[in-house]
Structure formats: C-alpha cells, structure tokens
Amino acid sequence: MTPTFVRACALDDLEDDTPKRVELEGVPVALVRTEGEVFAVSDICSHANVSLSEGEVEDCQIECWLHGSSFDLRTGKPSGLPATRPVPVYPVKIEGDDVLVSVTQES
C-alpha cells in the first residue's frame, strides 16, 4: 500500500526538542523536530494511555512523563522499563514549509 501523506503542520510550528501533538485521520501523533530532522510517533505511550507529547525530548528519544519510559524517535522502541512494546513510527516528509505525515502505513 502506498503511503498517503497529509499535512500535519508548518515546519515553523515545531520548536527544536519540543513535542507537538496533532491528530491526523483520527490518529494522535507526536511530532518532534530534533537533530535537524522531524519525526512522527504515536502520541500514546505503549505502557499507559498517556500523551507522549507532554514529555521531554533528549538524544533522539521522547520520554513518557508519567513513568519515565523513553522511546527512540527513529524506531519507536522503548529504551527502558516499564514500557516493553514499541510505539508506532510514521513516515515524514517535508515539502516547502509543510510537514507531511503518513498514518496509513507504519514503519
């Protein structure tokens, strides 16, 4: 299935290392601009039903503010307990000043 990209926000809407929550086609997504790239992961922690976009970003990881699990923004894999399952990661592309995300195909 070919991914369908939808506009998530303007690139200027993203501050470095500050997650932004958006909802795309009914899917909550945390957008993060860090290390010169933009990443999109599920905004819901795989351990508890908590918004990851309320957490901190450091070293290409997003931390769940409730229990402290961190997830790799590139792979979605948790780096420590209590989370054991990865969060979905979504393809991102930049066109002009637009950040486009595909929630139709997880990578």
Side-chain angles (χ1 to χ4, degrees):
M1 183 163 114
T2 304
T4 303
F5 285 87
V6 294
R7 185 181 186 279
C9 67
L11 190 56
D12 291 344
D13 290 345
L14 298 176
E15 295 178 38
D16 283 345
D17 300 323
T18 303
K20 178 179 180 66
R21 183 185 199 279
V22 295
E23 195 164 301
L24 304 172
E25 299 177 358
V27 178
V29 174
L31 293 174
V32 179
R33 183 179 188 171
T34 187
E35 299 179 8
E37 291 187 69
V38 176
F39 299 93
V41 298
S42 171
D43 191 39
I44 306 301
C45 179
S46 64
H47 168 254
N49 191 16
V50 174
S51 177
L52 289 177
S53 61
E54 294 177 30
E56 301 287 318
V57 173
E58 188 175 332
D59 297 330
C60 218
Q61 306 251 337
I62 189 166
E63 181 182 52
C64 178
W65 61 270
L66 187 60
H67 296 115
S69 286
S70 288
F71 298 89
D72 189 302
L73 291 167
R74 296 166 292 238
T75 65
K77 292 181 180 160
S79 61
L81 296 173
T84 57
R85 294 186 328 268
V87 294
V89 175
Y90 304 107
V92 175
K93 65 182 180 180
I94 309 298
E95 287 187 356
D97 188 45
D98 292 331
V99 177
L100 306 176
V101 178
S102 172
V103 293
T104 56
Q105 182 178 0
E106 297 171 8
S107 58

